[in-house]
Amino acid sequence: MDINTIAKMAGVSRATVSRYLNNGYVSEEKREQIRRVIEQTGYVPSKQAQRLRTGKTNLVGVIIPKINSGSVGRMVSGMTDVFNKSSYQVLLANTANDPKAEVQYLRLFAEKGRVDGVIFIASVFDAAHLRAMDELSVPLVVLGQNLEGYSCVYQDDYRALFNLTERLLRKSEHPAYIGAIPTDVAAGNDRKRGFVDACKAAGLEVPDRAMAVADFTVDSGYTCAEKILETYPQVDTIVCATDTMAFGAMTCLREYGHRVPEDVQVAGVGDAELSQIITPSLTTVHYYYKTSGAEAANMLVGAMKSTDGVAREVRMGYEIRVRTSTR
């Protein structure tokens, strides 16, 4: 079974079938005739032949930091919705938060004929990352960070944390913060800046002992909260850079006999599924992760069809969801 047989059975030209298979223009009548024949015969076009003919693989590479992240899962879900409709298949590269693995995958995807484009859900950018990104001969979209000179879709981390903290400080005098590593620009740097600036705007100077750095896990959130209780016992609010850290902080507070939110209120970022289920339910920032994944995919599809080389960026909105972990 080949393209000539499909054309003969559908009563159309070989060129028409070729346009159909490559998403070119075909009238609705002829499109339906070809679709019906392909469905009846089970014909699958040769990917290798298509690649040789068009120079396209119809594959996109997606580099993710960890497979078991709820936010990453929502982003990937949004991407695949778009790519499936656009006839692209996804090669998913899970790096387990290893910067060296990220660079290796960027270099792998840079090899000619591997993929038609790349989405990189990034956390840090070092010199090796930037070199590997510059070596890419296909379009690249960075998701989750704003990096000058590259097409990006990112969350409004600074404003989100500023607004969240501003709200909590209405009933707080001794806030504390559990954040991420500073080299993570979005979750580490921008979110902390939003917290600190909101405190300054309220006339509060947060001491260093009231701030700790965690590693995106429940255990680290627990450990950081424990440290803050020891060094800053007057704490009455803990703002966390992620919901996962907040879950750990809440567990620690309860085990040390502190009521949430009566004694210490807690808030996070990400609106994970558990945030609505735990008791008390978690006040958090809701990011539109699935939509941001779809935006990144649409941006990449557009870049793969365009030759202008213009970098574009989309800053996503957010919503503060107030629940019972705060006063």
Side-chain angles (χ1 to χ4, degrees):
M1 182 67 63
D2 59 18
I3 191 172
N4 294 314
T5 306
I6 296 297
K8 185 175 181 180
M9 293 177 67
V12 299
S13 69
R14 186 184 188 282
T16 301
V17 176
S18 179
R19 288 199 304 274
Y20 173 89
L21 294 174
N22 290 289
N23 298 311
Y25 173 75
V26 178
S27 69
E28 284 301 319
E29 180 183 354
K30 291 182 178 179
R31 181 174 292 276
E32 177 58 26
Q33 292 170 210
I34 298 168
R35 186 201 63 77
R36 193 183 307 117
V37 171
I38 289 176
E39 191 175 86
Q40 290 172 351
T41 61
Y43 172 70
V44 178
S46 166
K47 291 291 183 183
Q48 185 176 8
Q50 282 186 316
R51 186 180 307 175
L52 290 172
R53 184 171 61 253
T54 67
K56 299 293 183 181
T57 66
N58 280 4
L59 297 174
V60 294
V62 176
I63 303 173
I64 65 173
K66 54 182 178 178
I67 196 72
N68 60 341
S69 165
S71 58
V72 171
R74 284 146 67 184
M75 292 180 198
V76 172
S77 176
M79 290 179 216
T80 53
D81 285 349
V82 172
F83 289 136
N84 288 341
K85 292 175 184 176
S86 303
S87 300
Y88 284 97
Q89 293 179 309
V90 174
L91 295 178
L92 200 62
N94 177 36
T95 65
N97 279 317
D98 181 352
K100 291 183 180 179
E102 292 174 347
V103 172
Q104 287 172 352
Y105 279 119
L106 284 167
R107 288 175 175 161
L108 175 67
F109 291 147
E111 294 178 16
K112 187 176 180 181
R114 292 279 187 181
V115 295
D116 296 336
V118 176
I119 292 180
F120 181 22
I121 302 180
S123 56
V124 298
F125 299 104
D126 60 21
H129 284 87
L130 296 176
R131 283 195 300 271
M133 292 162 68
D134 286 342
E135 290 169 3
L136 284 169
S137 59
V138 295
L140 168 71
V141 173
V142 175
L143 177 54
Q145 303 279 358
N146 183 18
L147 184 62
E148 187 175 355
Y150 293 88
S151 292
C152 302
V153 178
Y154 59 97
Q155 311 302 330
D156 197 353
D157 290 287
Y158 174 82
R159 293 178 188 273
L161 264 292
F162 187 98
N163 292 155
L164 174 65
T165 305
E166 185 179 47
R167 186 181 190 100
L168 300 184
L169 292 180
R170 296 172 190 170
K171 298 181 179 180
S172 173
E173 296 180 355
H174 303 288
Y177 182 73
I178 298 175
I181 56 174
T183 50
D184 184 322
V185 177
N189 188 20
D190 290 348
R191 294 180 192 180
K192 182 180 179 180
R193 285 196 306 110
F195 168 81
V196 171
D197 286 356
C199 290
K200 286 181 179 178
L204 296 173
E205 194 71 35
V206 183
D208 289 342
R209 68 182 188 277
M211 291 187 276
V213 176
D215 62 4
F216 299 99
T217 65
V218 172
D219 286 345
S220 67
Y222 184 105
T223 302
C224 287
E226 191 174 39
K227 177 183 176 183
I228 288 170
L229 287 174
E230 180 182 344
T231 60
Y232 194 62
Q234 64 267 53
V235 61
D236 60 9
T237 295
I238 299 179
V239 178
C240 300
T242 69
D243 286 352
T244 305
M245 298 173 191
F247 299 150
M250 290 172 67
T251 301
C252 176
L253 288 166
R254 285 196 297 267
E255 291 186 2
Y256 276 77
H258 296 277
R259 298 171 300 166
V260 179
E262 293 85 356
D263 300 326
V264 183
Q265 54 183 350
V266 179
V269 176
D271 198 18
E273 289 184 5
L274 283 178
S275 64
Q276 301 179 59
I277 299 170
I278 62 170
T279 303
S281 55
L282 182 66
T283 292
T284 184
V285 175
H286 177 83
Y287 286 145
Y288 299 94
Y289 285 122
K290 184 173 182 179
T291 304
S292 67
E295 289 284 352
N298 280 317
M299 187 179 289
L300 185 63
V301 170
M304 290 186 294
K305 293 180 179 178
S306 173
T307 57
D308 62 17
V310 176
R312 294 171 170 82
E313 67 174 61
V314 173
R315 183 175 66 191
M316 301 295 297
Y318 61 88
E319 181 182 345
I320 296 174
R321 297 199 169 168
V322 179
R323 301 193 179 107
T324 56
S325 68
T326 53
R327 296 187 283 273

